[in-house]
Amino acid sequence: MENKIKRIGVLTSGGDSPGMNAAVRAVVRTAISCGVQCVGIRRGWQGLINSDFVQLDAASVGHIIGKGGTILYTARSEDFLTDKGRQRAVSTCKMLGLDGIVAIGGDGTFRGALALSRLGVPVVGVPATIDNDIGCSNYTIGFDTACNTAIDCIDKLRDTMQSHERCSVVEVMGRNAGFLALYVGIAVGATAVLVPERELDFERDVVERIRNARLAGNTHFMIVVAEGVGSAVEIGKQIHEAIGIEPRVTVLGHIQRGGAPSARDRETATRMGYFAVRSFVEGRGNCIIGTREGEMVEIPIEEALTMKKYLQMERYKVLEAVSVSVPKVNPNDLDG
Ligand code: F6P
């Protein structure tokens, strides 16, 4: 199909995630390889309203594939929720001669994408959030790196918890979703993981699990709490009241959003950025690029926003089965 696209914009919006830069690089370089110019819009949708842009060429995205954060900056724009703000964004697109926008971010970014596409500016979305909570895609850029960062922190916490024979309550991000907490909880061998997708029964999910771990010989306990469940400080207090031990509480916070992207995030971001530009060049657009069983797929934005992704509760069973260690067996006691 003939390529009628001459110039596109690329922006990052919402909470940043490791791998956004790799996606920006892929968009710019793919565009150039297709004979399309690329303009960087800074500070997300707000930048489009304010005409805050930067010319990007192949060299300007050199050496960013391994960098955390986003060279285009990011923001959450209140103005873009208003008609006036959106009209100004459309004017910027006209003024810059943009035939489309690649918007890299999460669900808030994609709601903005839908609004803009309805005003006649084609948009392609690339899912990037550490929460992994985008319904139309199995995977979102940044999730793997955030998991690894949280695991690294919790492994360190475990060292000191083990030495002091303590209970640690760790709050991880994820907004209203428990993907980050559950994956991390499994990977660190947590005593218990609390996620918003499962109604909390404090006695069953926390007290009993700590008791069982204690009876099995454990002297330190790791409780991972998704921020969507509530405050880890509160959970810590409840543990104190119920069992009498004094947990130490750690809120990992924004550290989970930083750092060099992992191999998975660099590779996924690069492929998603490539497919986003190809969608425009091949005359489609107005879609989100998602992953399904490892393959890239395009989902119309409107449909994508109605799609739900559920936490696989079978992972919970895995966690429950393996996280409490059994009493150590003295090899001399074994028959044979
Ligand atoms: O969506 C990414 C995320 O990091 C969530 O996990 C978290 O709830 C939120 O953003 C924090 O937002 P802010 O950067 O505005 O504090």
Side-chain angles (χ1 to χ4, degrees):
M1 189 180 290
E2 196 196 346
N3 172 19
K4 296 198 181 79
I5 299 283
K6 296 278 175 269
R7 189 177 299 124
I8 59 170
V10 57
L11 59 82
T12 51
S13 168
D16 63 353
S17 71
M20 277 184 160
N21 279 329
V24 170
R25 170 182 176 271
V27 168
V28 173
R29 298 239 170 123
T30 306
I32 291 167
S33 75
C34 297
V36 175
Q37 290 176 16
C38 201
V39 175
I41 308 296
R42 292 187 294 205
R43 304 176 177 88
W45 296 125
Q46 191 62 42
L48 201 60
I49 292 171
N50 296 343
S51 199
D52 181 1
F53 68 93
V54 57
Q55 285 285 359
L56 295 173
D57 59 19
S60 58
V61 290
H63 310 295
I64 65 167
I65 193 168
K67 283 197 163 63
T70 161
I71 60 160
L72 291 178
Y73 305 98
T74 184
R76 294 190 172 100
S77 171
E78 294 286 322
D79 292 345
F80 200 70
L81 300 174
T82 67
D83 283 344
K84 195 173 159 210
R86 286 171 181 169
Q87 289 299 345
R88 281 176 61 189
V90 173
S91 302
T92 303
C93 292
K94 283 188 186 150
M95 189 260 294
L96 295 176
L98 301 180
D99 299 309
I101 301 277
V102 176
I104 304 166
D107 57 352
T109 305
F110 299 155
R111 281 194 295 276
L114 180 63
L116 197 63
S117 68
R118 284 181 173 156
L119 294 173
V121 179
V123 186
V124 176
V126 170
T129 161
I130 65 162
D131 304 337
N132 200 25
D133 61 348
I134 300 299
C136 70
S137 185
N138 291 155
Y139 187 75
T140 63
I141 298 165
F143 178 68
D144 184 58
T145 308
C147 282
N148 285 317
T149 301
I151 289 166
D152 187 43
C153 293
I154 295 174
D155 284 347
K156 290 184 170 113
L157 275 175
R158 186 183 285 283
D159 289 344
T160 170
M161 290 301 123
Q162 199 160 21
S163 309
H164 287 266
E165 301 179 285
R166 275 176 176 156
C167 175
S168 192
V169 180
V170 185
E171 184 180 308
V172 300
M173 280 188 166
R175 203 176 284 277
N176 300 318
F179 294 99
L180 197 53
L182 189 52
Y183 278 63
V184 166
I186 290 175
V188 299
T191 314
V193 179
L194 310 184
V195 291
E197 291 84 350
R198 181 171 138 123
E199 200 181 335
L200 178 62
D201 175 335
F202 197 76
E203 183 64 25
R204 175 197 66 191
D205 298 332
V206 182
V207 175
E208 271 305 300
R209 294 196 61 77
I210 293 177
R211 255 189 215 128
N212 289 341
R214 184 74 195 95
L215 289 170
N218 290 160
T219 57
H220 70 281
F221 317 100
M222 186 65 71
I223 315 296
V224 175
V225 182
E227 65 174 344
V229 169
S231 155
V233 174
E234 277 311 309
I235 300 287
K237 279 186 194 151
Q238 285 179 44
I239 292 174
H240 186 206
E241 279 159 22
I243 324 182
I245 57 176
E246 278 186 55
R248 293 297 189 266
V249 177
T250 307
V251 178
L252 293 184
H254 291 82
I255 198 161
Q256 294 160 102
R257 291 230 299 254
S262 66
R264 182 171 188 186
D265 284 324
R266 296 179 197 204
E267 197 264 353
T268 307
T270 301
R271 284 167 68 219
M272 283 182 167
Y274 169 86
F275 276 87
V277 175
R278 294 302 309 174
S279 178
F280 277 135
V281 170
E282 289 164 18
R284 295 184 300 275
N286 285 335
C287 62
I288 309 287
I289 306 296
T291 61
R292 213 169 275 164
E293 285 150 23
E295 299 298 319
M296 295 293 154
V297 289
E298 287 182 11
I299 305 101
I301 304 177
E302 197 158 357
E303 185 189 337
L305 286 173
T306 64
M307 292 169 80
K308 300 258 174 295
K309 181 159 70 180
Y310 298 99
L311 192 69
Q312 308 91 330
M313 293 316 280
E314 132 275 336
R315 285 197 152 84
Y316 228 96
K317 293 193 188 134
V318 174
L319 176 95
E320 290 184 335
V322 304
S323 66
V324 173
S325 61
V326 291
K328 294 224 166 34
V329 177
N330 183 339
N332 298 329
D333 295 340
L334 294 173
D335 289 341

